[in-house]
Amino acid sequence: MKSISTIRIEIKNIWKVGLMLLVIATILSCNKDDDPEMEDAHLAESSQELLIGKWFYNVTSNGDASACEAQSYYNFTDTQKLEYQLVIDDFDLVVGGYELIGDCYVSPVTSIIYSLNTANEIQFLNEYEDTITLKIVSINETTLVFTKGTLDDTTTYILMKEL
């Protein structure tokens, strides 16, 4: 029969081994994969996968999209080609190239190359050679939220994916 002091020593040894295993597991769990640049690259990669598809306007920071605006879309492809068409109902906002169809002014479908950087920003040149930057706020399988504009004048857009 073991004495009480022998049992205490065995219990202490079990605790020491358990504590050492916990310390080792903690050290091993902190590795180079926690590098913020790697996380940003992974975030951009997963955003790229989620981004592919046709997205329609739903809400802007100005309110719900009108019936015309809800027909506007961005179609992102896996070859980093972006096709988009803007549809508006306000004649005051119409610029050259829009066609009146029913009650809506419809832009021609524009096809351009886009890029997605590690800061989760979509960048492309519009037809006037202006660099457009869309900052992704959040993205999942059905909803894309991005901001567009400058610090002084930023608009938030919520788009829904065509299923």
Side-chain angles (χ1 to χ4, degrees):
M1 180 173 253
K2 294 183 181 181
S3 70
I4 293 180
S5 63
T6 306
I7 294 174
R8 285 185 184 160
I9 292 172
E10 288 178 2
I11 291 174
K12 284 182 183 180
N13 287 339
I14 291 172
W15 277 103
K16 285 180 186 178
V17 169
L19 183 59
M20 286 176 55
L21 288 174
L22 181 63
V23 169
I24 290 170
T26 302
I27 291 170
L28 291 177
S29 70
C30 297
N31 60 32
K32 293 180 183 176
D33 288 342
D34 293 340
D35 181 8
E37 288 181 19
M38 293 291 288
E39 289 178 12
D40 288 346
H42 180 68
L43 180 61
E45 186 178 301
S46 63
S47 293
Q48 177 66 39
E49 292 169 9
L50 291 169
L51 191 59
I52 295 170
K54 196 170 192 178
W55 298 87
F56 288 90
Y57 280 2
N58 187 19
V59 177
T60 70
S61 53
N62 299 326
D64 290 344
S66 69
C68 290
E69 292 171 326
Q71 297 173 56
S72 296
Y73 68 85
Y74 290 100
N75 187 24
F76 296 91
T77 70
D78 58 354
T79 59
Q80 294 197 300
K81 184 171 120 183
L82 168 63
E83 294 180 346
Y84 68 93
Q85 183 173 51
L86 303 177
V87 183
I88 57 177
D89 51 8
D90 189 349
F91 180 76
D92 294 333
L93 298 176
V94 173
V95 292
Y98 279 72
E99 180 181 349
L100 180 62
I101 299 176
D103 294 332
C104 303
Y105 294 92
V106 181
S107 76
V109 174
T110 303
S111 180
I112 54 177
I113 301 298
Y114 75 93
S115 64
L116 179 66
N117 62 28
T118 57
N120 256 5
E121 294 173 332
I122 304 165
Q123 294 184 317
F124 57 90
L125 292 175
N126 69 7
E127 60 270 23
Y128 307 107
E129 299 296 316
D130 297 324
T131 299
I132 306 296
T133 301
L134 310 175
K135 173 68 177 159
I136 296 176
V137 176
S138 67
I139 186 169
N140 62 36
E141 292 82 9
T142 59
T143 307
L144 167 62
V145 180
F146 68 83
T147 58
K148 178 183 170 190
T150 62
L151 292 175
D152 298 334
D153 184 26
T154 301
T155 304
T156 301
Y157 297 87
I158 301 174
L159 282 65
M160 304 305 288
K161 194 171 201 175
E162 178 179 64
L163 300 175

